[in-house]
Amino acid sequence: MSTPTTGPDGLEGRDPRTVAVLGAGTMGSGIAVVMARALHRTILFDVDEANLQRGLDTVHGFFDKSVERGKLTAPLAAAAKASLVGTTDLADLAASDVVVEAVYEDLALKKELFGALDDLVPDTTLFHTNTSTLSVTGIASGSRLPERVVGTHYCNPAPLMKLVEVADGRHTASWARAATIDFLESLGKTTVVTKDRPGFIVNRFLIPWENSCIRALESGLGTKESIDAAVLGALGHPMGPFRLLDIVGMDIHQQVATRLYEQLRDPRFFPPPMVERMVAAGDLGRKTGRGFYDYDDTRLFGS
Amino acid sequence: MTTTTTELRHVGVLGLGTMGAGIAQVLAASGRDVTVLEQDGARIAAGRARLEASLDRDVARGRTTEAERAAVLERVWCTSSLVDLAPVDLVVESVSEDLAVKRAVLDRVAATVAPDVPIVTNTSALSVTELATGLPGPERFAGLHFFNPAPAMRTVEVVPGLRTTPELVERLVALVESLADKIAVVVKDRPGFLVNSLLLPYLNDVVQELDDDLATAEDIDVALQLGLGYRTGPLAMLDLIGLDVHLQATTALHAATADPRYAPPPLLRQMVADGRLGDKSGDGFRTHPSPAASPRPVSPHDRSPA
Ligand SMILES: NC(=O)c1ccc[n+]([C@@H]2O[C@H](COP(=O)([O-])OP(=O)(O)OC[C@H]3O[C@@H](n4cnc5c(N)ncnc54)[C@H](O)[C@@H]3O)[C@@H](O)[C@H]2O)c1
Ligand SMILES: NC(=O)c1ccc[n+]([C@@H]2O[C@H](COP(=O)([O-])OP(=O)(O)OC[C@H]3O[C@@H](n4cnc5c(N)ncnc54)[C@H](O)[C@@H]3O)[C@@H](O)[C@H]2O)c1
């Protein structure tokens, strides 16, 4: 696997690999930034031409902003852009050393893609899945070689968040996991190793936490303002639970919580009734201008 | 840093333990005079040492000045004689978390201070209303719940009991807001009030998942720090709180609510039974004794760089 002799910001001593990113949405485009920034030959793949173009534009926009903000030199940004191509033809992924899957959260779709790739890429190619709530084992079962499939769960926004949760499926080989961790660390990511259990680490604790805060609000233990303020001032969280839910989006919280609940059948994961009411009302958070709080603009991460 | 105030100028603090020392520091830093009641000279000396160490850290970090440090120490006066509390305008009770101990000292203090002097408790897990019953003038009694370490944590919960007057709630909110960088949150007198009712089940959940081998203690903390931006991971937080303190609090809330989320996880009980209490014992979930000092056999191959 990749053994660069410098950090992800240096040009020299790289060992560029061919990395395919499947799905050019929020996460796929973010992961493509991570790969192209490290000057891996990056192929962004999507079935939808318009989504692919939007994803490529997102990646280019990210590099332009990085240069404006002095986070990246112009030559490095140009090199990063040059190392990225897009395609809607799966056959173009044949030379991939690593495949990172970030398509819709749909088990059948993810399995099918891995199965189709089996016939195209070498047997040594690593298959990474960015699933949040599906089982790595289930997705791996779509491949003839489940030992090469590893769960690599990035955080949104992938270019800025250092954490990647790494989870083996039942049949993941230790070489695949070790190579995956080496690769992720060469990208400047911090890896933690967890199990193929619903929610891995972050969502496993975040979802019941957010639900318990919503229940506290429902039961009159405090107001959204007082609960946010109390948590902020007592626990060292960067923002209160309702500010965070407004950024995540109530629809996304509902989806993730429900999927975890379906697997765990533990009531702590079940989204409290207020969630369904807010989704029904269209109060999804910042992206719709109103969630727990009202917003004048719908930008997600400020300017 | 110093804000002068005429409201509740002279405060009596009961107990100069972990919390009492921090609360005394915060109140004195706001320009108030503080009289602390402790059991004996040895405990006063230990408490003052804690207070001085905390101020030293603040000076070292540039959070306060040498002059301010000296002024704070001058404004905190310690005694083991109850009558010295007679002139105070407010009493903040922060003795050991034990209903009988708190009741006994509150009874005596209530009989010593003027009948209209507010008395507040820093209890974490007892009911404010229950503590108020039996006191002369339960309407002057409320909860004022600081977090550890009191000088650093911004949130202070103001907890009215069933009989607490709205005026007292207002005065306590104003008091908190006169303290440097503190935010008052008025909460109900429910087990764990607001923050602990949310925090304790979460911490228990983390300990159980650690025992269930979800990941190492370090990886759990790193995931939540990097993934969610938490300043401290939950297991390092437990080490800081003290595993015994957490066990006591969650056991009390479990008894008060019968809610299984408060049931202490087996690993927590075992760690406490084994004397692994976190930072204070030098051994916990994330804090470990250096291999040389370890009573447990450690093979040289297991040693990791300190
Ligand atoms: N959004 C998050 O915060 C987040 C965080 C971590 C992990 N995830 C996970 O990442 C994955 C992607 O999520 P997202 O938010 O980026 O979704 P998204 O809806 O933004 O993007 C999904 C993309 O996949 C494309 N796609 C669909 N079918 C495809 C196929 N057969 N081949 C190629 N491309 C296909 C779609 O056209 C779309 O562009 C999901 O598994 C999700 O659970 C999401
Ligand atoms: N430690 C925490 O994290 C924390 C946080 C918030 C609230 N609290 C609450 O604060 C209170 C104090 O907790 P602590 O952690 O400081 O305990 P502690 O054991 O550190 O200190 C308690 C002090 O009270 C003294 N004391 C006992 N009986 C006394 C009496 N009759 N008169 C005078 N002093 C007496 C003891 O000598 C001791 O120094 C408890 O109610 C606790 O629940 C603790």
Side-chain angles (χ1 to χ4, degrees), chain B residues 56-136:
Chain B
D56 286 343
R57 273 194 303 278
D58 286 358
V59 171
R61 287 182 193 154
R63 291 174 55 120
T64 193
T65 62
E66 278 291 350
E68 184 60 24
R69 173 188 185 278
V72 165
L73 287 173
E74 209 157 280
R75 283 195 286 267
V76 177
W77 194 76
C78 301
T79 179
S80 54
S81 161
L82 192 64
V83 290
D84 291 331
L85 288 178
V88 303
D89 308 316
L90 166 73
V91 174
V92 181
E93 175 278 304
S94 188
V95 302
S96 319
E97 187 78 336
D98 178 314
L99 184 63
V101 171
K102 284 192 191 287
R103 276 243 159 92
V105 70
L106 285 169
D107 270 345
R108 290 159 58 220
V109 168
T112 305
V113 301
D116 59 343
V117 165
I119 302 177
V120 299
T121 175
N122 185 44
T123 183
S124 293
L126 299 170
S127 157
V128 170
T129 303
E130 222 176 301
L131 277 170
T133 57
L135 278 189

Side-chain angles (χ1 to χ4, degrees), chain A residues 195-266:
Chain A
K195 297 272 163 75
D196 184 18
R197 292 195 202 149
F200 304 123
I201 301 174
V202 174
N203 282 324
R204 166 65 186 78
F205 295 119
L206 178 63
I207 297 298
W209 166 257
E210 293 286 13
N211 282 343
S212 72
C213 292
I214 297 167
R215 282 192 199 98
L217 179 64
E218 276 182 333
S219 65
L221 221 53
T223 62
K224 58 183 187 285
E225 291 88 357
S226 75
I227 295 173
D228 272 352
V231 164
L232 206 62
L235 301 182
H237 292 190
M239 68 181 91
F242 303 115
R243 288 277 171 208
L244 178 61
L245 281 167
D246 276 357
I247 289 177
V248 169
M250 293 306 280
D251 52 339
I252 301 294
H253 176 75
Q254 182 183 40
Q255 241 169 54
V256 175
T258 305
R259 282 173 181 273
L260 296 186
Y261 174 73
E262 281 164 358
Q263 295 171 71
L264 293 161
R265 297 287 154 176
D266 177 337

Side-chain angles (χ1 to χ4, degrees), chain A residues 51 72 129 139 244 286:
Chain A
N51 287 355
L72 208 59
T129 172
I139 294 166
L244 178 61
R286 292 203 73 149

Side-chain angles (χ1 to χ4, degrees), chain A residues 22-28 45-48 51 101-105 109-110 113 130-133 153-156:
Chain A
L22 316 181
T26 310
M27 294 306 293
F45 167 78
D46 205 295
V47 277
D48 183 295
N51 287 355
E101 171 283 301
V103 301
Y104 297 137
E105 191 73 333
L109 178 67
K110 289 177 191 273
L113 263 175
N130 185 46
T131 184
S132 296
T133 57
H153 186 239
Y154 292 74
C155 300
N156 185 22

Side-chain angles (χ1 to χ4, degrees), chain B:
Chain B
M1 202 72 162
T2 302
T3 50
T4 42
T5 176
T6 49
E7 170 63 349
L8 305 171
R9 267 217 48 81
H10 184 181
V11 184
V13 172
L14 313 181
L16 196 61
T18 307
M19 293 306 294
I23 294 167
Q25 178 185 335
V26 167
L27 291 167
S30 75
R32 293 177 168 83
D33 291 320
V34 179
T35 299
V36 184
L37 180 74
E38 250 295 349
Q39 302 191 82
D40 51 47
R43 288 193 169 94
I44 289 175
R48 275 204 86 94
R50 213 185 330 265
L51 175 60
E52 284 170 22
S54 164
L55 286 163
D56 286 343
R57 273 194 303 278
D58 286 358
V59 171
R61 287 182 193 154
R63 291 174 55 120
T64 193
T65 62
E66 278 291 350
E68 184 60 24
R69 173 188 185 278
V72 165
L73 287 173
E74 209 157 280
R75 283 195 286 267
V76 177
W77 194 76
C78 301
T79 179
S80 54
S81 161
L82 192 64
V83 290
D84 291 331
L85 288 178
V88 303
D89 308 316
L90 166 73
V91 174
V92 181
E93 175 278 304
S94 188
V95 302
S96 319
E97 187 78 336
D98 178 314
L99 184 63
V101 171
K102 284 192 191 287
R103 276 243 159 92
V105 70
L106 285 169
D107 270 345
R108 290 159 58 220
V109 168
T112 305
V113 301
D116 59 343
V117 165
I119 302 177
V120 299
T121 175
N122 185 44
T123 183
S124 293
L126 299 170
S127 157
V128 170
T129 303
E130 222 176 301
L131 277 170
T133 57
L135 278 189
E139 60 286 343
R140 61 161 158 173
F141 192 82
L144 190 67
H145 186 232
F146 288 82
F147 291 85
N148 185 24
M153 302 312 279
R154 299 188 63 199
T155 300
V156 181
E157 292 177 320
V158 174
V159 194
L162 274 182
R163 294 226 201 174
T164 308
T165 63
E167 293 71 34
L168 177 56
V169 175
E170 265 173 47
R171 288 176 79 191
L172 292 173
V173 169
L175 168 75
V176 170
E177 278 164 6
S178 77
L179 305 175
D181 219 27
K182 293 278 184 266
I183 349 167
V185 181
V186 179
V187 299
K188 294 191 176 177
D189 182 19
R190 300 239 187 112
F193 309 131
L194 174 62
V195 172
N196 281 339
S197 79
L198 296 169
L199 178 65
L200 271 50
Y202 159 74
L203 292 177
N204 289 336
D205 193 19
V206 170
V207 173
Q208 188 57 54
E209 280 287 352
L210 173 68
D211 201 17
D212 292 348
D213 298 326
L214 178 67
T216 63
E218 184 181 358
D219 277 3
I220 290 176
D221 275 4
V222 167
L224 294 169
Q225 285 176 281
L226 292 183
L228 300 175
Y230 293 175
R231 201 187 313 138
T232 315
L235 294 160
M237 185 185 271
L238 277 163
D239 281 351
L240 176 83
I241 291 169
L243 273 50
D244 54 337
V245 170
H246 175 71
L247 176 61
Q248 189 194 25
T250 202
T251 303
L253 292 194
H254 188 234
T257 60
D259 182 338
R261 297 174 313 143
Y262 294 108
L267 179 61
L268 178 72
R269 284 185 188 287
Q270 289 159 16
M271 298 274 287
V272 172
D274 194 36
R276 293 196 239 175
L277 308 181
D279 294 349
K280 64 182 155 195
S281 74
D283 197 358
F285 290 118
R286 296 290 310 283
T287 315
H288 302 293
S290 62
S294 172
R296 272 178 285 279
V298 176
S299 107
H301 308 291
D302 294 342
R303 293 188 189 197
S304 53

Side-chain angles (χ1 to χ4, degrees), chain A residues 5-300:
Chain A
T5 54
T6 64
D9 292 326
L11 273 168
E12 60 297 323
R14 309 246 88 224
D15 176 12
R17 319 297 296 186
T18 300
V19 182
V21 180
L22 316 181
T26 310
M27 294 306 293
S29 59
I31 293 167
V33 166
V34 172
M35 301 305 167
R37 192 168 54 187
L39 303 183
H40 292 300
R41 291 178 295 268
T42 307
I43 311 170
L44 189 55
F45 167 78
D46 205 295
V47 277
D48 183 295
E49 189 71 55
N51 287 355
L52 174 64
Q53 196 50 53
R54 188 163 357 106
L56 289 169
D57 291 346
T58 303
V59 177
H60 282 245
F62 184 91
F63 287 133
D64 292 342
K65 275 238 170 63
S66 300
V67 173
E68 273 169 41
R69 290 186 189 152
K71 307 258 186 216
L72 208 59
T73 66
L76 207 54
K81 284 188 196 175
S83 60
L84 172 73
V85 295
T87 184
T88 53
D89 183 358
L90 202 63
D92 289 342
L93 311 186
S96 306
D97 300 304
V98 182
V99 171
V100 187
E101 171 283 301
V103 301
Y104 297 137
E105 191 73 333
D106 177 323
L107 180 63
L109 178 67
K110 289 177 191 273
K111 282 173 66 172
E112 193 187 298
L113 263 175
F114 278 176
L117 280 163
D118 275 344
D119 300 333
L120 285 171
V121 302
D123 283 358
T124 50
T125 299
L126 287 172
F127 284 6
H128 290 170
T129 172
N130 185 46
T131 184
S132 296
T133 57
L134 298 168
S135 94
V136 175
T137 303
I139 294 166
S141 74
S143 170
R144 204 169 24 83
L145 301 169
E147 57 269 29
R148 63 154 111 190
V149 179
V150 185
T152 59
H153 186 239
Y154 292 74
C155 300
N156 185 22
L160 305 181
M161 304 285 284
K162 285 180 88 73
L163 180 73
V164 180
E165 296 172 276
V166 177
D168 285 357
R170 274 186 82 86
H171 298 299
T172 303
S174 54
W175 66 262
R177 195 228 287 179
T180 296
I181 290 173
D182 283 351
F183 178 66
L184 288 168
E185 298 199 333
S186 80
L187 298 169
K189 294 296 180 194
T190 301
T191 55
V192 295
V193 174
T194 183
K195 297 272 163 75
D196 184 18
R197 292 195 202 149
F200 304 123
I201 301 174
V202 174
N203 282 324
R204 166 65 186 78
F205 295 119
L206 178 63
I207 297 298
W209 166 257
E210 293 286 13
N211 282 343
S212 72
C213 292
I214 297 167
R215 282 192 199 98
L217 179 64
E218 276 182 333
S219 65
L221 221 53
T223 62
K224 58 183 187 285
E225 291 88 357
S226 75
I227 295 173
D228 272 352
V231 164
L232 206 62
L235 301 182
H237 292 190
M239 68 181 91
F242 303 115
R243 288 277 171 208
L244 178 61
L245 281 167
D246 276 357
I247 289 177
V248 169
M250 293 306 280
D251 52 339
I252 301 294
H253 176 75
Q254 182 183 40
Q255 241 169 54
V256 175
T258 305
R259 282 173 181 273
L260 296 186
Y261 174 73
E262 281 164 358
Q263 295 171 71
L264 293 161
R265 297 287 154 176
D266 177 337
R268 291 177 299 184
F269 290 86
F270 193 75
M274 184 183 281
V275 176
E276 185 273 332
R277 305 295 192 274
M278 289 178 69
V279 171
D283 295 348
L284 304 185
R286 292 203 73 149
K287 62 185 164 191
T288 59
R290 181 166 58 191
F292 288 99
Y293 298 94
D294 287 332
Y295 300 91
D296 294 336
D297 68 85
T298 53
R299 287 172 303 170
L300 282 186

